[in-house]
């Protein structure tokens, strides 16, 4: 029996991964701006805000098969996999932020907004990418 592939090593996957990471960085940077923080003027704070979510995504998305051919070939699979992966990745990121080693914490409103905005930004991008690649 062959192992289940969790990550398709291809140029398409690399582009999807870069796009996903860019979306995460942009949506969290936009969040900083809404709180009056210039992400470029405060690089350490920005990195501390964004890094937990990037770590969460890089841990969870491959485990859930977000970068497999099966997901990339189906709009429904893409929506389900990316949606579940973002929720799990956001919870990892929020969990990291709730530790005493990082600033910010994880108040309930931030949890809801982070998950909601993440879904509202990642899903459309990935659904369009899936539709184009089919």
């Amino acid at each position: 029996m062959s192992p289940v592939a969790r990550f398709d090593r291809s140029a398409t996957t690399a582009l999807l991964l870069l796009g996903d990471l860019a979306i995460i960085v942009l949506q969290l940077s936009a969040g900083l701006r809404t709180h009056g923080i210039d992400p470029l003027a405060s690089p350490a704070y920005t990195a501390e805000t964004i890094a937990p979510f990037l770590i969460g995504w890089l841990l969870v998305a491959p485990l859930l098969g977000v970068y497999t051919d099966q997901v990339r070939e189906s709009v429904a699979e893409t929506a389900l996999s990316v949606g579940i992966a973002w929720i799990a990745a956001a919870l990892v990121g929020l969990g990291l932020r709730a530790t005493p080693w990082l600033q910010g914490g994880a108040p309930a409103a931030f949890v809801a907004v982070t998950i909601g905005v993440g879904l509202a930004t990642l899903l459309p991008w990935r659904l369009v990418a899936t539709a184009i690649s089919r």
Side-chain angles (χ1 to χ4, degrees):
M1 182 170 9
S2 65
V4 175
R6 301 237 182 244
F7 193 88
D8 170 47
R9 288 179 169 90
S10 69
T12 302
T13 299
L15 289 173
L16 290 173
L17 175 60
L18 289 173
D20 292 346
L21 296 176
I23 294 289
I24 293 167
V25 168
L26 290 172
Q27 64 112 346
L28 290 165
S29 295
L32 288 172
R33 285 196 173 282
T34 64
H35 292 284
I37 299 166
D38 180 355
L40 298 176
S42 306
Y45 186 82
T46 300
E48 191 170 322
T49 299
I50 294 171
F53 297 98
L54 294 178
I55 291 167
W57 184 257
L58 292 171
L59 289 173
V60 171
L63 288 175
L64 294 180
V66 168
Y67 298 107
T68 61
D69 286 337
Q70 178 184 352
V71 168
R72 191 168 50 239
E73 292 170 1
S74 165
V75 172
E77 286 282 337
T78 296
L80 186 61
S81 295
V82 171
I84 291 170
W86 174 249
I87 292 168
L91 292 174
V92 168
L94 291 160
L96 291 170
R97 281 179 54 99
T99 66
W101 302 290
L102 294 175
Q103 296 179 28
F110 183 65
V111 172
V113 169
T114 300
I115 290 173
V117 172
L119 290 172
T121 55
L122 273 173
L123 282 176
W125 138 249
R126 286 302 297 274
L127 293 173
V128 168
T130 296
I132 290 171
S133 71
R134 289 178 47 193

